[in-house]
Amino acid sequence: MSWSLGLIVPLQDKTPFSPFVPTEWQDALGRVKDAGYDAVELAIIDPNQVDRDEVAEVLQSKGLRLLSLTTGQAAAKEGLSLSSPDEKARRRAVERIQVHMRFAKPFGAVVIVGSLRGADGDMKLLVESLRECADYDTEVKISLEPLNRYESRLVNTAAEALSVVERVGAQNLGLLLDTFHANIEEREIGQAFRDAEERLFHVHLADSNRWVPGYGHLPFDAVWKALETIDYDGGLVIEAFPRPSAEALLASLATIKRQ
């Protein structure tokens, strides 16, 4: 498997998709590297409160590549939404994504739009917000993530996400496909990845039960074949609950390579 593979490390608030705590993020990066991974995804609520130079220095010292930045914690913590009819909340969401873009640019990292697009909202406003974000810096990639119907009523499938990308009309806007969400919403998981083609900027991995890959029944072989078919050149990040254990999550690199 030739793709960069990483785990999620939170810098400000704890996330259920990581066994690490924010106050120990530097040690966490070392544990990610020691477990054999070559990359990381950072969970950041507000990049204005993070010392980017310090992050860059620690990443370099650990020999890790920053693949991506999550933004969704700001949706739950601050009520931000790119599709909100509340103009203040929408405006703050757009500005927050732009701050993430500034942080991500020196690393060549992808900025993820998952929960921050809103659980419910106005599709037209979402398109306008994404266009404004994409236009802010065309050199920074943004990935819109389809979420399952229980987490959002906006953009549940790869086809719906591709439709939004087409409406926005920006080359730096693409997709993040998450195997957990795709397993719920897609008719055929491999086809969803193939349909994304060159618009697939990032991938999240979790099994059918959102546990560590290998502890559910998701057909990962179909995912690997699809990624090879489209010559995917992005990274893979495990966004799974640390179940059955944190140790299993840290050891999942070996599990994935055996699949």
Side-chain angles (χ1 to χ4, degrees):
M1 185 173 292
S2 59
W3 302 291
S4 289
L5 186 64
L7 296 180
I8 297 174
V9 172
L11 264 60
Q12 293 170 312
D13 268 19
K14 189 169 174 57
T15 169
F17 304 114
S18 177
F20 308 118
V21 295
T23 54
E24 300 174 0
W25 67 270
Q26 296 192 28
D27 290 338
L29 292 178
R31 292 180 64 188
V32 170
K33 182 64 176 181
D34 290 345
Y37 300 89
D38 63 352
V40 68
E41 178 171 298
L42 297 180
I44 300 177
I45 298 173
D46 185 356
N48 283 319
Q49 307 302 317
V50 176
D51 186 333
R52 186 175 65 189
D53 292 338
E54 181 185 16
V55 171
E57 181 179 345
V58 177
L59 285 169
Q60 183 176 22
S61 71
K62 304 298 184 183
L64 289 171
R65 174 188 174 194
L66 178 57
L67 287 174
S68 44
L69 299 178
T70 68
T71 63
Q73 288 172 307
K77 190 176 181 69
E78 301 178 41
L80 305 188
S81 167
L82 294 173
S83 62
S84 176
D86 180 338
E87 179 58 21
K88 183 177 180 180
R90 190 190 74 84
R91 184 77 249 145
R92 290 181 62 213
V94 169
E95 292 172 352
R96 185 63 56 83
I97 290 293
Q98 292 171 345
V99 174
H100 275 87
M101 292 173 72
R102 292 199 299 271
F103 190 102
K105 186 172 183 176
F107 302 99
V110 173
V111 175
I112 297 168
V113 174
S115 299
L116 202 65
R117 77 354 189 59
D120 293 287
D122 186 297
M123 181 63 77
K124 182 179 179 181
L125 290 176
L126 175 60
V127 170
E128 291 177 1
S129 297
L130 288 171
R131 183 178 293 122
E132 186 173 354
C133 292
D135 288 345
Y136 181 73
D137 191 331
T138 59
E139 295 181 1
V140 179
K141 289 184 175 181
I142 303 170
S143 288
L144 176 62
E145 179 183 15
L147 301 176
N148 72 75
R149 75 198 80 166
Y150 309 108
E151 297 184 34
S152 177
R153 268 59 66 191
L154 291 171
V155 191
N156 303 126
T157 66
E160 291 168 355
L162 287 168
S163 176
V164 171
V165 169
E166 183 176 353
R167 289 175 64 181
V168 172
Q171 290 302 307
N172 60 324
L173 178 65
L175 272 61
L176 182 168
L177 291 184
D178 182 306
T179 56
F180 171 75
H181 297 295
N183 185 61
I184 295 173
E185 298 293 346
E186 304 293 347
R187 293 184 62 187
E188 202 279 292
I189 192 168
Q191 189 60 52
F193 281 81
R194 288 190 294 273
D195 288 345
E197 296 184 297
E198 73 276 1
R199 285 296 192 175
L200 183 61
F201 290 173
H202 195 50
V203 173
H204 276 169
L205 302 176
D207 219 313
S208 54
N209 48 9
R210 219 166 196 172
W211 286 26
V212 173
Y215 290 89
H217 55 73
L218 198 143
F220 281 100
D221 280 349
V223 176
W224 312 143
K225 290 176 182 176
L227 292 176
E228 291 171 352
T229 297
I230 65 174
D231 294 323
Y232 177 66
D233 61 0
L236 312 176
V237 168
I238 299 172
E239 190 190 54
F241 297 140
R243 299 183 68 183
S245 66
E247 292 73 23
L249 178 60
L250 284 167
S252 57
L253 178 65
T255 302
I256 290 171
K257 287 188 172 181
R258 288 198 300 269
Q259 294 181 352

